[in-house]
Amino acid sequence: EAIVLAKEVKADYLLVDEKKARRIARNSGLRVMGTLGVVALGVKKGLLPAIDPILDSLEQNGFRFSERVRTNTNRRATLRRQYRFPCRFLFFLVE
């Protein structure tokens, strides 16, 4: 449903963490970003103060990711990659 809706509204990114959904979305021509990508972008843009406390809090609340993913997220928060703004994000909550 989220992928179909993202295509209908021409979202710039589909925010999704599930591996299978990310693959399907990419194969459908959508760009995807997950929770950690949003956190990294927030730190990069100065909207969030620091990344490590947020990552720690996510882990303490059951969000799982490897040390490699943590390192890559820290790296993304400091890269100079330019994102096009304003972006139209599609949020889809799954319980």
Side-chain angles (χ1 to χ4, degrees), residues 1 8 10-11 18 22 26-27 29 31 33 39 44 49 59-60 73 75 79 85-86 89 91:
E1 292 177 35
E8 282 180 15
K10 297 182 174 134
E18 184 194 70
R22 292 170 73 93
R26 283 189 184 113
N27 289 342
R31 293 185 294 181
M33 185 179 293
V39 170
K44 182 182 186 86
E59 278 186 314
Q60 291 167 3
T73 302
R75 193 172 296 133
L79 288 177
F85 276 92
F89 284 102
F91 288 90

Side-chain angles (χ1 to χ4, degrees), residues 11 21-22 32 35 39 42 46 48 51 53 69-70 76 79 84 90:
R22 292 170 73 93
V32 299
T35 300
V39 170
L48 299 171
I51 198 162
V69 169
R70 177 186 277 271
R76 276 190 288 168
L79 288 177
R84 193 175 88 221
L90 175 63

Side-chain angles (χ1 to χ4, degrees), residues 6 9-15 29-33 37-38 41-42 44-45 47 79-90:
V9 300
K10 297 182 174 134
D12 294 311
Y13 289 88
L14 174 65
L15 299 179
L30 293 169
R31 293 185 294 181
V32 299
M33 185 179 293
V38 172
L41 184 58
K44 182 182 186 86
K45 293 292 184 182
L47 301 171
L79 288 177
R80 295 183 181 256
R81 182 175 177 193
Q82 295 296 316
Y83 288 89
R84 193 175 88 221
F85 276 92
C87 287
R88 292 177 303 277
F89 284 102
L90 175 63

Side-chain angles (χ1 to χ4, degrees), residues 1-3 5 14-22 33 35 62-63 90-95:
E1 292 177 35
I3 293 169
L5 183 57
L14 174 65
L15 299 179
V16 62
D17 287 316
E18 184 194 70
K19 194 177 210 177
K20 183 178 179 182
R22 292 170 73 93
M33 185 179 293
T35 300
F63 195 92
L90 175 63
F91 288 90
F92 186 73
L93 302 176
V94 178
E95 292 185 30

